[in-house]
Amino acid sequence: MTDLVLTNLRIIDPSRNLDETGTIVIRDGVILAAGSDATRQGHPEGATVQDCRGLVAVPGLVDARVFVGEPGAEHRETIASAAQAAAVGGITSFIAMPDTDPVIDDIALVEFVMKTARDKAVVNVYPAAALTKGLHGTEMTEFGLLSEAGAVCFTNGRAALHDTLVLRRAMTYAREFGMVIALESRDKYLGAGGVMNEGLLASWLGLSGVPREAEIIPLERDLRVAGLTRAAYHAAKISLPESVDAITLARSRGVNVTSGISINHLSLNENDIGEYRTFFKVTPPLRGEDDRKAMVQALADGRIDIIVSSHDPQDVDTKRLPFADAADGAIGLETMLAAALRLYHSGEVPLIRLIDALSTRPAQIFGLDAGTLKPGARADITLIDLDEPWVVAKEAIVSRSKNTPFENARFTGRAVRTYVAGKCVHSL
Amino acid sequence: MDFFPHRHLLGIKGLNERDITGLLDLADEAVKISRQREKKTSTLRGLTQINLFFEASTRTQSSFELAGKRLGADVMNMSVGNSSVKKGETLIDTAMTLNAMHPDVLVVRHSSAGAAALLAQKVSCSVINAGDGQHEHPTQALLDALTIRRAKGKLSRIIVAICGDVLHSRVARSNILLLNQMGARVRVVAPATLLPAGIAEMGAEVYHSMEEGLKDADVVMMLRLQRERMAGAFVPSVREYFRYYGLDAQKLKAAKDDALVMHPGPMNRGVEIASEIADGPQSVIEQQVEMGVAVRMAVMEALLVSQHQGGLNNQGFRA
């Protein structure tokens, strides 16, 4: 591989708390230098030099929560098509959730995902393994063997874990392997049958509501169990300021906890559902505008660690239904960065913190070789034009499924080039 | 009524006072027709009405059927059970199939909120919502309003107490919207487990005791309590429910002496209403059924004639 030199970039690398104008030098898919120092070092002989004036270079984005349809629902999304969509969105690594058919609860399936990713995916795909067999919430999986095979964390995927005893044993056992347990929290009974945020809007629409406590109560329970077992716990998809408070409090007690929020919950609120728009039906349900604002604030000050796309491809069969009958989920790989940049343009979240939440922090939490532009790191780099206006057109969506809540949304800024191990996998 | 500016009737939401008054005036005319010996008009002659019921309802379906027939339309009934097919799965497919047959109006009932609205986006004819889940049942609210207006002469400033399972009731939602739009005072009376979140902001005063909620009421509107919700889930038992929320002579005394007693049917006698009250002098439950046909005639006339001819010019129904 020839050397590649990208010059005149604004380089933002949260792993080094760096925001400066400079040069990135890449050799054999590895970063040799990235920063203002690199400018003075001169270019290696025979290197390809590209002037990137006006662009921002950040460590390739890391999306820690992506639902893929392979194996089992390839018509919605394959590992390859999700990777393609990720590249377009500036994402160079993602963690694939185990909610497939069959469920990723066995080493053979972890190996299948890794092999398929190696052969067909243009970005790095890391498998998450099921915490319990078949995601049924009763028997734990082979944490040791699965993590040796390449699983980067354990999760119950879309399914919440209800049995506290199973949770305690899983956390106790997982601790020995240093693995993070990432869970969504949803009370089996309180939220049962609910399809949107409980409140006036749901009442008028005649839809059954999910009360806030359906997220908060099991989260507080999980945090207690995490404290008891001293396990690493990741609250995968929180949506309420009360959840942030519970996590902050648990941290002050010494609990090893991190948290994530989907870009949908930072960008949208329950009013967007309007007259039963099923593309806005997600879990946890979209909350009120006050909640959204509070969550943006919590993200800005670091109380929420990371942003995920929670990319969840659904097709017309599962979405073109009455609201209550439609599947949950929205795609997000291609729009996560642009939607997040809204928070930068509005002045609510500093750019370096945003990139931290989209790249460096998730890589740290899940122990991935990503999220940094340090010399020696794999050259996963996203070049962003912060000011380019664009509109999300359904026809332009790369993902196999088109269930985006951002159709026709106007954005400012997006990934214009994506490098994975020094190779350009997306270019506008 | 002049121009009725809507293509569909999906809910009371979106109708203003003028729309509602227009429909009720038109329905008054329809009552006259229904009371004649010759009940058939040519208003909708040549037009096709399809009643598409995903949820069984003998009363509403026959009311719509009769309304269409009295207007001279060709009426077809389609009852699609919920049993074998997954709910909703067939909704759009069925609608598209029917749409290809060029109906002029589709009357839809479905167990999911928003089903009528979804269908309206996909078909090229007018859609009337005959009840969608727990969302709305606009013709029920209109027939209730017509019944009240004919008995009381007005809707504004009267006190209407809606009692019972408001949480699961599309009838309650449509009535709250309509009565507020027309300037009535709405109360809801129910145990807290049967009230939706945010009810106090929905335009209703909230009461948990029948004695207080019915005090000085002009209208007492009872709601049906579904059997599966009686035992333990939302209320402890039928007998406890009847004791505190069932309408009997004693509780009715709190209301005005000439208060109307209403029920959308079908009734659970001895659960939400005592038989002696349902059949008593203040009950207008049978009138509601009669007004149902008239209101549905008015709605179809408004949707199918008024909008096409740019106004009725008060010509009313065509003989």
Side-chain angles (χ1 to χ4, degrees), chain A residues 95-361:
Chain A
I95 301 180
M97 291 298 109
D99 310 50
T100 47
D101 184 13
V103 167
I104 310 299
D105 59 1
D106 186 272
I107 48 173
L109 289 153
V110 169
E111 282 162 2
F112 166 80
V113 173
M114 294 188 59
K115 183 179 177 342
T116 309
R118 249 194 331 270
D119 294 347
K120 297 179 180 162
V122 296
V123 305
N124 309 299
V125 180
Y126 297 94
L131 184 73
T132 57
K133 285 177 190 160
L135 300 174
H136 297 311
T138 47
E139 293 169 72
M140 67 174 109
T141 52
E142 300 162 312
F143 295 170
L145 295 174
L146 288 164
S147 60
E148 260 187 60
V152 296
C153 72
F154 293 96
T155 173
N156 229 37
R158 295 185 191 93
L161 191 64
H162 307 298
D163 189 322
T164 319
L165 184 58
V166 170
L167 181 66
R168 179 188 180 177
R169 288 184 181 146
M171 283 199 187
T172 305
Y173 191 78
R175 191 187 63 213
E176 304 306 320
F177 297 94
M179 296 293 278
V180 178
I181 289 183
L183 290 178
E184 299 185 10
S185 59
R186 190 164 56 258
D187 191 273
K188 184 179 182 175
Y189 305 104
L190 259 184
V195 296
M196 78 174 282
N197 187 35
E198 182 173 287
L200 189 58
L201 218 53
S203 291
W204 274 129
L205 288 171
L207 296 172
S208 32
V210 182
R212 307 165 76 86
E213 287 70 17
E215 172 175 320
I216 302 160
I217 293 171
L219 174 64
E220 288 183 333
R221 176 204 65 168
D222 288 3
L223 292 169
R224 285 290 169 185
V225 179
L228 176 69
T229 60
R230 301 192 312 286
Y233 179 83
H234 178 71
K237 236 159 78 180
I238 58 173
S239 66
L240 293 165
E242 293 94 319
S243 297
V244 176
D245 293 343
I247 288 165
T248 307
L249 193 64
R251 269 183 186 153
S252 74
R253 291 196 307 262
V255 177
N256 182 1
V257 52
T258 52
S259 61
I261 183 169
S262 95
I263 188 64
N264 301 319
H265 292 89
L266 291 171
S267 312
L268 309 167
N269 67 36
E270 59 181 354
N271 294 302
D272 290 304
I273 290 166
E275 293 285 316
Y276 307 102
R277 296 162 74 191
T278 58
F279 283 9
F280 294 82
K281 188 181 181 215
V282 293
T283 47
L286 294 176
R287 305 293 187 177
E289 177 60 7
D290 289 346
D291 297 319
R292 189 194 67 83
K293 282 188 181 150
M295 295 309 264
V296 170
Q297 187 52 49
L299 178 85
D301 62 31
R303 281 175 296 151
I304 297 173
D305 293 276
I306 67 169
I307 304 173
V308 298
S309 71
S310 194
H311 180 82
D312 195 346
Q314 298 290 339
D315 57 11
V316 289
D317 289 353
T318 50
K319 277 292 189 187
R320 210 177 62 173
L321 293 173
F323 195 86
D325 306 326
D328 296 323
I331 59 168
L333 287 167
E334 293 163 72
T335 46
M336 176 169 70
L337 172 62
L341 286 174
R342 277 183 175 170
L343 307 176
Y344 155 69
H345 288 299
S346 66
E348 290 165 288
V349 184
L351 190 54
I352 190 161
R353 170 67 197 119
L354 210 50
I355 301 304
D356 184 40
L358 288 165
S359 176
T360 306
R361 272 306 277 151

Side-chain angles (χ1 to χ4, degrees), chain B residues 251-267:
Chain B
K251 296 192 192 93
L252 187 55
K253 275 186 197 159
K256 283 191 183 146
D257 291 341
D258 61 349
L260 306 178
V261 172
M262 304 177 77
H263 193 295
M267 281 181 282

Side-chain angles (χ1 to χ4, degrees), chain A residues 9-31:
Chain A
L9 285 159
R10 176 179 170 194
I11 299 170
I12 297 180
D13 182 2
S15 75
R16 295 181 288 164
N17 197 25
L18 180 147
D19 182 351
E20 62 190 25
T21 303
T23 298
I24 298 178
V25 184
I26 302 163
R27 170 172 288 172
D28 295 336
V30 173
I31 295 172

Side-chain angles (χ1 to χ4, degrees), chain B residues 158-161 163 185 187 189 205 207 209-220 247 250-257 259:
Chain B
I158 58 163
I159 297 176
V160 181
C163 312
R185 270 180 68 189
R187 297 173 181 171
V189 189
E205 299 162 50
Y207 292 87
S209 127
M210 289 286 272
E211 283 69 21
E212 290 168 29
L214 263 53
K215 192 171 186 300
D216 299 328
D218 297 286
V219 176
V220 181
L247 187 64
Q250 180 59 35
K251 296 192 192 93
L252 187 55
K253 275 186 197 159
K256 283 191 183 146
D257 291 341

